[in-house]
Amino acid sequence: MSEGTTEKTATEDAGLWTLPNLISFLRILALPVFLWVLLGLDRPFLAAVLLGLISVTDLLDGMLARRLGQVSEIGKMLDPVADRLVVFAGVVGGMVAGLVPLWLGLSLLVREAIIGPTTIYYLMRHGVRVPVRQMGKTATALIFFAVPFYYLTATSFVPFFWEVLATLLGVTGLALYLIVTWRYLGDLRRVA
């Protein structure tokens, strides 16, 4: 490396203005458009495609953060917030549209109602932030696939296929979420 240039290390905070953080912000900003397409235009196929694209960018921001050395504390908080908002918008929008089954939607919302405030409490009160577990990432990915697949049941000539696939992914994702929620709450109690 030549004199006068710097290289980001894995432990150096890249700050707010990074490409991965921009992607997370764009994911959040795309959610009203997605909801408008789903509920305003009543276009479940297009909504499934949009939700799929918004969800897939979750992989992109984390990969870019590590590859470009743009890992930041704000990004570590922004990415999970974006994930939660994507799940929330997809599930609530899908329930309102009658596409996501209530048992799955309500279970996911109850899980979020427990984890969200608990995480904020421990962060604000104790300054504790527990790292995301791989099982949680896997559960989120499964839900990211399951929800748009439920949307496809309204537009496809093989709705049964999409419903079975969405249910398998949704049940597996929900089961992993329940396990990781229990572990995550235990992590928070131990470190506080």
Side-chain angles (χ1 to χ4, degrees), residues 139-159:
T140 299
L142 291 170
I143 297 303
F144 279 170
F145 281 104
V147 171
F149 288 169
Y150 274 118
Y151 294 5
L152 294 178
T153 63
T155 61
S156 175
F157 61 91
V158 286

Side-chain angles (χ1 to χ4, degrees), residues 38 89-106 109 151:
L38 177 65
V91 167
V92 171
M95 287 192 308
V96 169
L99 300 171
V100 173
L102 288 177
W103 64 264
L104 177 63
L106 292 176
L109 294 176
Y151 294 5

